[in-house]
């Protein structure tokens, strides 16, 4: 059965998450099991931001746990995340009759017409909110709202939600929103330096002096296939198009490409963001500096998408300054922990302090459809 959509805050010390109750194949919460314990023994303070049903019993919630957001009720229509996804799809199809019907169902569950407004309403930068809407993500789903609040509060976060429910955007949107000011400032600095220098590209020394500490964000994935999907989504959010021949040699046929809402002329965000995927042996070799017969593709990189084994190798060789990163994401964390425990230990050892080199709090995010409470506890016990 799919698990409920949830995003848990994790303080720097520990977390004890509630046991999840059963749900049907349509994500319909069933009646809670009587007498079931919904909290493991807890000793340290923590807060949970959750969407979905906890397995309630007569025992009250532990006083140090705060349920920030929940959807409760019987039947499939109480699944707020699913309804919000249907609303986005109806708006994208311009099927406003169906959108009105879904809106009314959301109103029954939440008491408002759209689940508390769009992306800008929950703190996403204006350019990023506009880009998300143009890509068809008209409004954030509940798991994305919960994750946004937890991550913007600089809390280490676990996002647990079924496949296809929007986990990737749940961490990408807050991460890009958190980096937005720095990325835009760097854009302006590069433009001014080029203007002052008569239109010539600034020297490497000037670029390094005006650039922010990099990498700003690292996303760890268990496979090349998932890493490719995440990289393409980041590329699109940052103004790119899926038919860029550098990314995909085979053109993807799309309808209505002329006048597309996502063309380069509608993009208002930073234009100098460097995103690199290190997902196989070839890209790992390219990540090495020129002196080691590589292509130095990680020089000045802002966002890195990579697998645990490749990232551990890069960090061990000193080709990437992991303490610079402000956001460290482990996607499909349960699979990464199962397949790459030693590599993850090495990565978090290289990351070190919970504060990035620029003095700002580093946010660690674990995402997965089936990450368990015991895996989260193991990660906390390991100091990750």
């Amino acid at each position: 059965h799919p698990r409920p959509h949830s995003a848990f805050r994790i303080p720097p010390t520990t977390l004890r998450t509630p046991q999840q109750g059963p749900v049907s194949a349509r994500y319909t919460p069933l009646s809670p099991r009587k007498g079931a314990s919904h909290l493991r023994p807890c000793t340290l303070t923590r807060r949970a931001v959750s969407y979905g049903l906890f397995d309630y019993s007569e025992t009250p919630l532990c006083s140090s746990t705060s349920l920030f957001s929940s959807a409760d009720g019987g039947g499939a229509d109480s699944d707020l995340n699913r309804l919000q996804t249907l609303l986005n799809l109806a708006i994208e199809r311009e099927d406003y009759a169906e959108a009105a019907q879904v809106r009314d169902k959301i109103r029954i569950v939440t008491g408002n017409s759209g689940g508390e407004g769009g992306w800008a309403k929950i703190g996403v930068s204006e350019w990023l909110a506009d880009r998300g809407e143009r890509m068809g993500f008209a409004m954030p789903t509940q798991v994305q709202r919960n994750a946004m609040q937890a991550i913007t509060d600089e809390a280490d976060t676990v996002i647990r939600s079924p496949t296809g429910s929007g986990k990737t955007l749940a961490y990408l949107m807050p991460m890009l929103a958190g980096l937005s000011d720095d990325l835009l400032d760097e854009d302006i600095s590069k433009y001014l330096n080029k203007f002052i220098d008569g239109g010539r590209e600034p020297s490497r020394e000037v670029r390094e002096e005006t650039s922010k500490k990099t990498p700003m964000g690292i996303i760890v994935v268990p496979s090349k296939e998932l890493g490719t999907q995440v990289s393409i989504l980041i590329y699109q959010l940052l103004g790119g198009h899926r038919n860029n021949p550098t990314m995909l040699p085979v053109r993807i046929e799309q309808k209505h490409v002329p006048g597309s809402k996502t063309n380069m002329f509608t993009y208002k965000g930073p234009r100098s963001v460097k995103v690199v995927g290190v997902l196989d042996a070839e890209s790992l070799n390219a990540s090495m500096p020129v002196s080691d017969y590589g292509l130095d593709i990680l020089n000045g990189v802002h966002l890195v998408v990579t697998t645990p084994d490749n990232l551990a190798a890069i960090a061990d060789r000193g080709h990437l300054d992991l303490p610079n990163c402000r956001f460290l994401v482990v996607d499909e964390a349960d699979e990464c922990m199962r397949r790459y425990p030693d590599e993850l230990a090495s990565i978090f050892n290289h990351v070190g302090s919970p504060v990035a080199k620029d003095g700002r709090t580093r946010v660690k995010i674990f995402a997965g459809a089936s990450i368990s409470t015991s895996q989260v506890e193991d990660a906390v016990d390991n100091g990750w």
Side-chain angles (χ1 to χ4, degrees):
H1 296 302
R3 294 177 179 271
H5 314 277
S6 56
F8 297 103
R9 297 170 187 251
I10 310 175
T13 49
T14 189
L15 169 72
R16 298 293 184 267
T17 58
Q19 297 295 320
Q20 298 293 333
V23 293
S24 75
R26 296 185 65 193
Y27 315 152
T28 308
L30 303 179
S31 300
R33 293 173 295 179
K34 186 175 181 180
S37 173
H38 51 66
L39 282 176
R40 292 195 174 193
C42 56
T43 56
L44 298 175
T45 302
R46 75 278 181 204
R47 293 189 65 196
V49 178
S50 173
Y51 171 71
L53 284 183
F54 288 88
D55 200 1
Y56 293 103
S57 72
E58 296 177 358
T59 307
L61 287 173
C62 178
S63 59
S64 59
T65 298
S66 172
L67 179 63
F68 188 87
S69 176
S70 67
D72 195 354
D77 288 344
S78 66
D79 190 334
L80 184 56
N81 204 83
R82 185 184 67 88
L83 288 173
Q84 290 168 330
T85 301
L86 291 175
L87 180 59
N88 280 335
L89 293 174
I91 293 173
E92 179 68 13
R93 293 194 308 270
E94 298 184 0
D95 187 346
Y96 300 115
E98 181 179 345
Q101 293 177 1
V102 178
R103 176 205 60 198
D104 292 341
K105 293 177 182 179
I106 292 177
R107 180 176 290 163
I108 293 172
V109 176
T110 66
N112 59 58
S113 60
E116 302 172 17
W119 292 102
K121 186 77 171 180
I122 62 173
V124 173
S125 310
E126 183 179 348
W127 68 267
L128 185 56
D130 178 74
R131 186 66 180 176
E133 291 166 6
R134 289 178 180 276
M135 289 174 60
F137 309 116
M139 285 181 287
T141 60
Q142 194 61 36
V143 67
Q144 291 162 357
R145 294 176 188 277
N146 293 344
M148 182 72 189
Q149 178 146 2
I151 295 169
T152 52
D153 284 348
E154 298 183 336
D156 288 343
T157 306
V158 171
I159 303 171
R160 180 171 58 198
S161 185
T163 301
S165 59
K167 288 189 303 298
T168 307
L169 272 186
Y171 65 74
L172 283 183
M173 294 298 266
M175 181 177 71
L176 292 176
L179 299 175
S180 176
D181 288 347
D182 285 342
L183 295 174
L184 290 170
D185 286 347
E186 188 171 317
D187 255 15
I188 294 173
S189 296
K190 289 180 177 178
Y191 174 80
L192 291 177
N193 283 321
K194 185 176 180 180
F195 178 79
I196 292 171
D197 207 18
R200 293 187 295 273
E201 289 293 335
S203 65
R204 181 166 181 167
E205 291 75 15
V206 172
R207 290 199 304 269
E208 290 178 352
E209 183 180 344
T210 58
S211 297
K212 304 293 181 180
K213 296 292 185 182
T214 58
M216 295 180 176
I218 298 174
I219 301 169
V220 181
V221 295
S223 67
K224 179 179 179 179
E225 293 73 22
L226 178 59
T228 301
Q229 295 175 24
V230 173
S231 299
I232 291 175
L233 181 55
I234 297 173
Y235 180 71
Q236 290 179 281
L237 288 170
L238 292 171
H241 197 277
R242 292 195 64 178
N243 279 335
N244 186 317
T246 302
M247 294 193 65
L248 294 174
V250 180
R251 181 175 176 82
I252 300 174
E253 293 298 332
Q254 293 182 336
K255 296 180 180 179
H256 315 304
V257 171
S260 169
K261 292 187 294 184
T262 59
N263 68 56
M264 61 181 293
F265 302 105
T266 65
Y267 178 65
K268 305 172 184 176
R271 296 178 178 270
S272 303
V273 184
K274 185 175 180 180
V275 182
V276 172
V278 183
L279 301 166
D280 53 21
E282 183 179 356
S283 54
L284 178 61
N285 289 333
S287 70
M288 293 190 292
V290 175
S291 58
D292 290 337
Y293 306 102
L295 299 177
D296 203 14
I297 61 173
L298 294 178
N299 180 49
V301 65
H302 297 91
L303 301 173
V304 180
V305 182
T306 183
T307 54
D309 53 338
N310 285 321
L311 182 57
I314 291 169
D316 290 341
R317 296 171 183 176
H319 297 161
L320 198 64
D321 199 354
L322 267 59
N324 282 338
C325 79
R326 288 172 48 200
F327 292 90
L328 177 58
V329 181
V330 183
D331 201 350
E332 299 298 342
D334 48 332
E335 184 71 7
C336 287
M337 293 175 71
R338 184 181 68 82
R339 292 172 55 186
Y340 302 103
D342 295 337
E343 289 82 355
L344 284 179
S346 174
I347 290 167
F348 283 99
N349 182 57
H350 281 289
V351 169
S353 166
V355 178
K357 277 190 174 181
D358 63 3
R360 284 179 279 193
T361 301
R362 178 181 299 108
V363 178
K364 300 173 186 175
I365 305 164
F366 278 30
S370 56
I371 183 170
S372 66
T373 301
S374 61
Q375 287 177 313
V376 176
E377 292 172 346
D378 289 342
V380 173
D381 292 340
N382 290 331
W384 298 354

